[in-house]
Amino acid sequence: MKILIADDSRVMRQIVIRTLRQAGHGGHDIVEAENGRQALELVRTEAPDLVLSDWNMPEMNGIDCLSALRASGSQVAFGFVTSEGSEEMRERAASAGAAFLIAKPFTPEAFDDALRSVI
Amino acid sequence: MAVHLPQPKQLRDLLADLLGRDVTLSPSAPFAPGPDTPASVALYVDDSLRIGALIACDLAFSAYAGAALGLIPVADAATAVGDGKVTDAIGENLYEVLNIAASTFNVAGADHLRLHALHPAGPPLDPQVRISTLTLGRREDLAVEIGGYGSGLLSVVLL
């Protein structure tokens, strides 16, 4: 499958990719975006099966990206990987249409649990 | 609501999980950067963009934590300490460490904070930012040992 990773930190994108591999989800096609706006464009042009997105990013944050995707009719599976782990943020994520929220710092087990719900 | 002062255990668990290394914290005297002291300062804002807290780190913590996140060799971190400034790559990683550290403020019933800006160790600090690091009162001052890298100072200051 094709996975789009949106995070403004290059090192965090690398850590997400490494953790996917450690969680037994290596071998997928990976596309990277630096912010929500770029992620929005790449969902259109690359048609990923899953988006893993940070919450706080410049240009466009993750929740606005998700809302824009749903408003445009996209039903791509979308999960947050973010330092925003509070109940309030989890509720906002779920009501906007996110499938899961993985809080940073994360473990391979947390990735596996979340991904098995959408793969 | 008020800003939550992260407890040492919260910070230890966060750093250990994030860096994937043993992390030991011990109480320390307040880190008080002078005009010529290299220091990294992360500023955290609430949802009204008011600065509610900062985390100040000495050059050693900045270099070791930034290097440990990206698996940058310890020798490169030691070189940065000798040079008196962090490299761009280490600074970029440190930004992410301190970005994720925002989660330690965000407990139920407390103001929500997020990272607004990081002044990485090296260039002179804006005097106003430096003076803010000297605020007394609700703060946590810690010596942090990052296994395999080294130790440095970290202070969480509520403003």
Side-chain angles (χ1 to χ4, degrees):
Chain A
M1 67 190 293
K2 189 183 273 189
I3 302 177
L4 170 63
I5 297 171
D7 197 310
D8 53 319
S9 162
R10 191 176 43 83
V11 67
M12 190 46 63
R13 295 197 301 271
Q14 289 169 347
I15 291 172
V16 169
I17 293 167
R18 188 170 73 215
T19 309
L20 278 171
R21 202 168 49 237
Q22 290 167 344
H25 296 280
H28 296 298
D29 277 349
I30 303 289
V31 183
E32 298 182 41
E34 292 178 5
N35 57 57
R37 192 169 304 287
Q38 205 178 14
L40 200 56
E41 286 171 20
L42 286 172
V43 168
R44 196 161 42 82
T45 56
E46 296 280 339
D49 303 289
L50 170 66
V51 180
L52 294 176
S53 176
D54 191 11
W55 190 296
N56 295 311
M57 292 181 285
E59 299 275 332
M60 178 185 272
N61 66 29
I63 193 88
D64 288 349
C65 174
L66 172 57
S67 300
L69 281 170
R70 295 297 183 249
S72 72
S74 168
Q75 289 304 317
V76 63
F78 193 106
F80 284 102
V81 181
T82 171
S83 51
E84 301 284 6
S86 69
E87 268 317 304
E88 184 198 343
M89 292 301 194
R90 287 177 187 277
E91 282 165 20
R92 279 183 67 190
S95 61
F100 56 80
L101 186 152
I102 299 171
K104 297 175 186 172
F106 42 71
T107 59
E109 291 73 26
F111 260 73
D112 187 37
D113 287 348
L115 263 65
R116 273 191 289 133
S117 70
V118 295
I119 290 180
Chain B
M1 288 200 287
V3 175
H4 167 71
L5 181 64
Q7 299 304 298
K9 182 176 185 309
Q10 269 183 289
L11 292 163
R12 194 207 71 84
D13 291 350
L14 177 115
L15 290 169
D17 290 347
L18 181 59
L19 304 178
R21 295 182 170 272
D22 285 339
V23 171
T24 312
L25 263 51
S26 48
S28 160
F31 174 48
D36 301 321
T37 314
S40 299
V41 179
L43 299 172
Y44 297 88
V45 293
D46 64 17
D47 294 336
S48 312
L49 294 181
R50 190 187 68 87
I51 296 175
L54 63 82
I55 294 182
C57 326
D58 71 350
L59 175 61
F61 177 86
S62 304
Y64 295 137
L69 181 71
L71 304 178
I72 294 171
V74 64
D76 292 11
T79 301
V81 173
D83 289 346
K85 61 175 192 278
V86 295
T87 61
D88 289 349
I90 289 175
E92 199 181 311
N93 294 358
L94 180 67
Y95 182 95
E96 194 54 27
V97 172
L98 295 170
N99 179 34
I100 295 172
S103 63
T104 59
F105 294 109
N106 295 330
V107 300
D111 281 347
H112 172 255
L113 296 188
R114 63 185 165 82
L115 178 60
H116 173 66
L118 170 67
H119 300 262
L125 275 176
D126 177 288
Q128 195 57 50
V129 170
R130 189 178 66 77
I131 287 165
S132 296
T133 67
L134 309 181
T135 306
L136 296 174
R138 294 187 67 204
R139 57 185 292 155
E140 196 73 66
D141 296 286
L142 300 160
V144 183
E145 168 82 32
I146 301 171
Y149 277 86
S151 59
L153 301 174
L154 177 150
S155 292
V156 184
V157 181
L158 303 193
L159 301 174

